[in-house]
Amino acid sequence: MRVVPVCRTCVLVLVILLAVIVSEVALAHQPFFEETDTTSSTPMLVSDPEISTALFSTLEVPGDVDFFAFTVTAGQTIEIGMTIPQISGQETFAPSIGVIASGPNRASVSELPADALSLLSSGKGAYVMEAAEATIFFEPFSRTAYWRRQRRQITFPSDGEVVVVVWHPQGAVGRYTLVVGQREVLGGDIAFARKIKEYWTPVVLPEATETDSPDGTSRNAAQQPETLRSDASASATSSPRCSWFKRLLATLLGAEERCQ
């Protein structure tokens, strides 16, 4: 059997190209996906809350509550926020965020979902972040657009575990991205390109009709808020085209649809 020599230069070039494309994808945040539904006893862990991390997650059924956890030291300031992918039917999808930790006023505890109440041990309270008016941004490489919702920097007065709770007060379902941290460090899920493609689909309940959105409103574009329709149209028409280099990288990784 004749052994075909390995082109070391080709391998090196491919490794460099892969590194570049991963850095392009993860430039803004380190992306990770909610692989299994989280609970109060099995939260999704964030290893370093200061590193900008995007947690791609889903409220799958009415009443679903998601949990995320990280550890802080006294005086540490962490940014927490949420973006909503511009998937059909999610124009008004706006979950709430609860941040359970030692120190905050317990007055907001009553706003938390029942599933989170078991986490409120002695001395713990909650910051509740209701959804803010949406702004729009476009991520050029993955060619995906999002609505930015709430965002807040919280300084934690005590050492300990912080649990972030995400739920929808009206029980709507849909996809969202919880963003934790600000410091940009390359990394995240290396299978991002494949998983984001699977993620970018509407959440449809078995009994839902074709005209129902995840939060119970019509998917008819004519019924969308005028500002969202105009902003979405603007983002679609003004979306930057991929450069020849990005098209080459996408072709090498079998993700040509990202650069059409």
Side-chain angles (χ1 to χ4, degrees):
M1 176 184 296
R2 189 168 70 90
V3 177
V4 179
V6 176
C7 175
R8 294 184 178 179
T9 302
C10 296
V11 172
L12 179 59
V13 170
L14 181 58
V15 169
I16 293 173
L17 291 177
L18 287 171
V20 170
I21 199 167
V22 168
S23 68
E24 288 274 7
V25 170
L27 183 60
H29 309 286
Q30 288 192 6
F32 295 96
F33 290 81
E34 180 191 22
E35 304 290 355
T36 57
D37 194 35
T38 58
T39 67
S40 58
S41 58
T42 59
M44 188 172 181
L45 302 179
V46 178
S47 59
D48 186 341
E50 290 193 346
I51 293 177
S52 183
T53 305
L55 305 163
F56 290 81
S57 308
T58 304
L59 295 179
E60 301 178 50
V61 296
D64 189 14
V65 181
D66 287 343
F67 297 83
F68 308 84
F70 53 84
T71 301
V72 296
T73 57
Q76 191 171 17
T77 300
I78 303 297
E79 182 168 289
I80 298 172
M82 177 176 289
T83 60
I84 306 297
Q86 287 191 7
I87 297 171
S88 177
Q90 297 206 157
E91 294 81 4
T92 58
F93 181 60
S96 294
I97 300 174
V99 182
I100 298 174
S102 297
N105 193 311
R106 293 182 63 87
S108 297
V109 166
S110 60
E111 301 176 44
L112 295 173
D115 290 9
L117 298 182
S118 62
L119 300 172
L120 294 166
S121 59
S122 177
K124 288 199 172 183
Y127 305 98
V128 174
M129 301 163 58
E130 296 178 350
E133 183 177 351
T135 59
I136 292 175
F137 79 98
F138 183 83
E139 200 289 302
F141 180 77
S142 63
R143 302 187 65 77
T144 51
Y146 299 81
W147 288 290
R148 278 197 177 105
R149 289 290 185 178
Q150 57 266 66
R151 183 156 300 199
R152 179 177 175 180
Q153 290 187 350
I154 299 175
T155 300
F156 295 93
S158 306
D159 296 352
E161 183 183 56
V162 174
V163 178
V164 179
V165 185
V166 176
W167 77 101
H168 196 286
Q170 286 74 49
V173 299
R175 305 197 190 278
Y176 67 92
T177 304
L178 181 70
V179 179
V180 177
Q182 291 181 289
R183 181 159 52 91
E184 306 296 349
V185 178
L186 295 181
D189 193 329
I190 61 173
F192 175 83
R194 173 179 61 80
K195 292 182 180 180
I196 194 65
K197 185 176 180 180
E198 297 171 356
Y199 173 87
W200 211 263
T201 56
V203 179
V204 181
L205 297 173
E207 66 273 15
T209 65
E210 197 170 286
T211 56
D212 289 335
S213 75
D215 61 350
T217 58
S218 171
R219 287 186 185 174
N220 187 338
Q223 297 182 21
Q224 294 179 19
E226 183 63 34
T227 54
L228 288 181
R229 281 190 281 125
S230 61
D231 286 344
S233 299
S235 67
T237 56
S238 63
S239 299
R241 303 290 295 177
C242 286
S243 67
W244 67 267
F245 185 58
K246 287 184 178 179
R247 287 199 299 271
L248 172 62
L249 296 178
T251 300
L252 289 172
L253 291 183
E256 296 92 336
E257 69 278 3
R258 301 290 179 195
C259 283
Q260 295 301 324

